[in-house]
Amino acid sequence: MKRLFSILAITGLMTFGNIQAQESTAADTTATATEMVEETTADTVAAADTATEEGVEEVVTTTDEEPTFTQKMKQRFIEGGPGFMGIVLICLILGLAIAIERIIYLNLSTTNSKKLISDVEDALKSGGVEAAKEVCRNTSGPVASIFYQGLDRHSHGIESAEKAVVAYGGVQMGQLEKNVSWISLFIALAPMLGFMGTVIGMIEAFDQIQSAGSMEPSLVAGGIKVALLTTVFGLIVAIILQVFYNYIIAKIDSIVNDMEDASISLIDILSDYRK
């Protein structure tokens, strides 16, 4: 379009100059000037046509560009309908929110148990139980909390300290596994909602066939397409949440194993300390 406007502006200036030239020259040059104007006009029209064709080709080329993956997903989501697709989207949002919260909590709960055991042992040798408890208070994580409970019951005997460690270890495991069951619920719920949307869409497609009295692909293609889209998005949500769920479970198992090993080491340290 810019090319077209430039060509038209140049043409106007040239035409205006030719008109002034015609008025200032003699009558015998009028025919020659007229021929020049006609040739210029013809060239201008041809250039304008060429520019217009190029602009049309550019528009067609731009229109023929394939949409991105995000645009395709948005289009498919809208085609699936707001009913079941909205519920599946809510499952994804809630599941991801819980998964991200658990991942952050578990990463903050990870403790360097070997360093903690070494610090507690050194504190027991240098300052006694109170110094070791101070080390546990200044260290974050479930392992330090378990150590603190065991040291706090140290005066009642090794068996009492061991029971406190085991009991408080169960409490810490419950904190680690908090809200994880909701993720497994959304993993199961998302594809079930997708399958339900598929069944309802198929029923609506057969209703259209019954009302029309004939089996035409155009009558049922739209309903079947919408029905299958709900299943696809339900499975996608389940797959995404399953990956996060498996990571969280593996992280919890790692922390629990670390807690058990550290608890055994603590009981051994307390036994040596009492001797």
Side-chain angles (χ1 to χ4, degrees), residues 165-201:
V165 167
V166 172
Y168 202 71
V171 174
Q172 290 298 318
M173 284 183 61
Q175 293 293 327
L176 295 174
E177 296 175 351
K178 184 179 179 181
N179 294 329
V180 176
S181 60
W182 287 102
I183 302 177
S184 60
L185 173 64
F186 293 134
I187 291 172
L189 192 61
M192 291 172 64
L193 290 171
F195 292 144
M196 185 180 293
T198 299
V199 173
I200 293 176

Side-chain angles (χ1 to χ4, degrees), residues 108-164:
L108 293 176
S109 299
T110 304
T111 307
N112 189 351
S113 300
K114 293 182 179 180
K115 183 178 183 302
L116 178 61
I117 292 171
S118 178
D119 293 342
V120 169
E121 188 174 6
D122 294 340
L124 280 172
K125 293 178 181 179
S126 61
V129 176
E130 291 300 324
K133 288 169 66 176
E134 185 65 24
V135 172
C136 295
R137 276 194 291 264
N138 295 330
T139 306
S140 61
V143 177
S145 300
I146 292 172
F147 275 28
Y148 183 87
Q149 296 298 323
L151 292 169
D152 194 40
R153 302 293 191 280
H154 170 68
S155 59
H156 299 285
I158 297 298
E159 292 182 358
S160 179
E162 186 175 358
K163 289 180 180 179

Side-chain angles (χ1 to χ4, degrees), residues 35-95:
E35 292 178 356
M36 292 175 61
V37 171
E38 290 177 353
E39 292 178 357
T40 304
T41 305
D43 294 338
T44 303
V45 172
D49 292 337
T50 303
T52 304
E53 290 177 357
E54 292 178 355
V56 172
E57 289 179 356
E58 291 179 357
V59 172
V60 172
T61 304
T62 305
T63 308
D64 292 339
E65 291 182 356
E66 293 185 359
T68 61
F69 177 77
T70 305
Q71 293 174 346
K72 288 182 179 179
M73 294 297 291
K74 289 181 179 179
Q75 181 180 357
R76 297 299 185 185
F77 183 85
I78 294 172
E79 291 176 354
F84 284 95
M85 299 296 281
I87 301 175
V88 172
L89 180 61
I90 291 173
C91 291
L92 176 62
I93 294 173
L94 295 178

